[in-house]
Amino acid sequence: MASRQPFTDTDTADEAVRATCDDATVCKRFATSKGYWKDPYIQYFVRSVGERKAPEINRGYYARVQGVNFLLDAFLKKTQCNCQIINLGAGLDTTFWRLKDNNLMPRKFFEVDFPTIVSRKIHYIKTKPPLSKPIIETHSTDSLLLDAHSLDSDRYCIIGADLRNISDMEEKLKKFQLNTELPTLVLTECVLVYMTPSQSSGLIRWVAETFHSAMFINYEQANMCDRFGQVMIENLQRRQCMLAGVETCQSLDLQKERFLRSGWEHASALDMITVYSMLPQEDVGRIERLEFLDEGELLQQLLQHYSISWATKDKLRLGLSQVSF
């Protein structure tokens, strides 16, 4: 009989990181129920709307979703969808279904996350026809490749892997037809901050070295040196959630440098208060009327402590460096 390995601090930290997947999905479910943006698919991953979230949280998620979608859609248009997307640490994200509905489908959409999260997502997909139907519609044969920790079709693939083990992840992606010759967008949302700086820089470098024309979009904490940042860190630590990579989140300059040091040609970074100010103001006005905000200081502080950074390399001269807000 095989002996069970003792439960380690790493296991505890990984479990806490996995829990953040549910936090994000629950928050998005509530915000969409209030009308901040439309997502007809998130209800199949979180059935109940759950308890009320503060307006600041809803607006923060609105800025995150709209900001990431803006850059992602711009990349798809630049490449005329002749590209692939890899969402690392994707959780219960619904981007694939949104792109299918909007006729903005890449050649293939990959998702990678912890095997336990992937198993749950596959279960939801298998048991909810509104999730499985779009995958089957874009698949050319009768059968999907499906097991406990992976699902593969012509246009959508989900894989269970640890992002800290790059060689294992790469092997699994290539097994499911990752094409290193295609322009590729890699997306990470609140993922790199849970890896050590050497682990995340290894991942960023792997993307730069693997694809000749690529874009990397990263959403996570920023400006974490001040008191507000310290309180955020302490709150997460109380839940056993260690921000192993927080030193890279000290400033926007550090966010840009991590890409430029790892083989990327161009890099930009904006805090979310700036992104929020650059979103279509008519829609921002609409969502600001949805709920009354007592005073804007907490929202301002929250938005100042998150950022979107993005980097490009463009051997095919597709104009990827022009993708911006």
Side-chain angles (χ1 to χ4, degrees), residues 85-136:
I85 293 174
I86 309 171
N87 189 342
L88 299 176
L92 302 176
D93 184 72
T94 58
T95 300
F96 166 79
W97 291 270
R98 178 183 74 82
L99 296 178
K100 165 83 166 52
D101 284 352
N102 292 350
N103 291 315
L104 267 179
M105 284 271 290
R107 290 261 287 273
K108 192 154 185 176
F109 192 105
F110 294 88
E111 294 182 353
V112 183
D113 212 322
F114 284 118
T116 51
I117 290 175
V118 165
S119 292
R120 280 177 59 203
K121 193 164 191 177
I122 289 172
H123 172 74
Y124 291 132
I125 291 169
K126 282 189 339 193
T127 56
K128 305 281 196 292
L131 297 176
S132 57
K133 195 162 168 265
I135 296 171
I136 293 162

Side-chain angles (χ1 to χ4, degrees), residues 218-268:
N218 177 44
Y219 171 90
E220 67 183 1
Q221 291 85 345
N223 302 319
M224 294 293 278
C225 295
D226 62 11
R227 181 67 197 129
F228 191 87
Q230 284 305 307
V231 170
M232 284 170 69
I233 293 166
E234 287 159 15
N235 287 341
L236 284 161
Q237 282 175 343
R238 272 197 285 276
R239 297 170 49 190
Q240 305 292 313
C241 215
M242 304 304 161
L243 300 183
V246 76
E247 68 189 64
T248 319
C249 302
Q250 303 297 352
S251 71
L252 296 177
D253 283 341
L254 283 175
Q255 290 282 12
K256 287 187 281 192
E257 278 172 30
R258 80 195 308 187
F259 290 104
L260 297 173
R261 281 200 312 264
S262 300
W264 294 82
E265 294 164 4
H266 299 277
S268 304

Side-chain angles (χ1 to χ4, degrees), residues 51-295:
E51 62 188 44
R52 182 179 178 275
K53 305 290 180 232
E56 291 87 352
I57 301 293
N58 297 327
R59 290 192 194 182
Y61 270 94
Y62 169 83
R64 167 181 174 171
V65 168
Q66 301 303 317
V68 168
N69 286 352
F70 182 89
L71 292 175
L72 191 144
D73 292 1
F75 174 86
L76 284 160
K77 287 165 187 167
K78 279 282 184 201
T79 59
Q80 300 180 325
C81 294
N82 185 32
C83 62
Q84 60 200 351
I85 293 174
I86 309 171
N87 189 342
L88 299 176
L92 302 176
D93 184 72
T94 58
T95 300
F96 166 79
W97 291 270
R98 178 183 74 82
L99 296 178
K100 165 83 166 52
D101 284 352
N102 292 350
N103 291 315
L104 267 179
M105 284 271 290
R107 290 261 287 273
K108 192 154 185 176
F109 192 105
F110 294 88
E111 294 182 353
V112 183
D113 212 322
F114 284 118
T116 51
I117 290 175
V118 165
S119 292
R120 280 177 59 203
K121 193 164 191 177
I122 289 172
H123 172 74
Y124 291 132
I125 291 169
K126 282 189 339 193
T127 56
K128 305 281 196 292
L131 297 176
S132 57
K133 195 162 168 265
I135 296 171
I136 293 162
E137 284 173 356
T138 56
H139 190 59
S140 57
T141 63
D142 290 339
S143 59
L144 301 174
L145 196 151
L146 184 65
D147 62 34
H149 296 134
S150 58
L151 181 160
D152 185 49
S153 71
D154 290 352
R155 307 294 288 276
Y156 176 77
C157 176
I158 178 171
I159 297 163
D162 190 326
L163 306 182
R164 295 164 297 194
N165 186 340
I166 292 171
S167 59
D168 175 63
M169 179 184 71
E170 181 176 29
E171 186 183 318
K172 288 175 177 173
L173 285 166
K174 286 184 172 170
K175 177 184 161 190
F176 295 125
Q177 287 77 54
L178 180 76
N179 182 348
T180 56
E181 294 304 308
L182 267 184
T184 299
L185 182 140
V186 172
L187 172 63
T188 52
E189 296 185 58
C190 292
V191 170
L192 301 184
V193 71
Y194 295 112
M195 302 165 75
T196 66
S198 66
Q199 288 166 343
S200 63
S201 64
L203 186 62
I204 289 167
R205 187 175 295 282
W206 170 76
V207 178
E209 289 174 351
T210 303
F211 306 101
H212 53 65
S213 296
M215 181 171 182
F216 199 120
I217 302 173
N218 177 44
Y219 171 90
E220 67 183 1
Q221 291 85 345
N223 302 319
M224 294 293 278
C225 295
D226 62 11
R227 181 67 197 129
F228 191 87
Q230 284 305 307
V231 170
M232 284 170 69
I233 293 166
E234 287 159 15
N235 287 341
L236 284 161
Q237 282 175 343
R238 272 197 285 276
R239 297 170 49 190
Q240 305 292 313
C241 215
M242 304 304 161
L243 300 183
V246 76
E247 68 189 64
T248 319
C249 302
Q250 303 297 352
S251 71
L252 296 177
D253 283 341
L254 283 175
Q255 290 282 12
K256 287 187 281 192
E257 278 172 30
R258 80 195 308 187
F259 290 104
L260 297 173
R261 281 200 312 264
S262 300
W264 294 82
E265 294 164 4
H266 299 277
S268 304
L270 296 173
D271 65 27
M272 292 310 294
I273 200 152
T274 308
V275 172
Y276 190 76
S277 73
M278 293 171 137
L279 294 173
Q281 288 304 292
E282 191 178 329
D283 199 54
V284 170
R286 176 190 67 80
I287 67 109
E288 287 183 346
R289 291 190 293 274
L290 292 175
E291 294 181 281
F292 177 71
L293 199 64
D294 284 337
E295 39 98 16

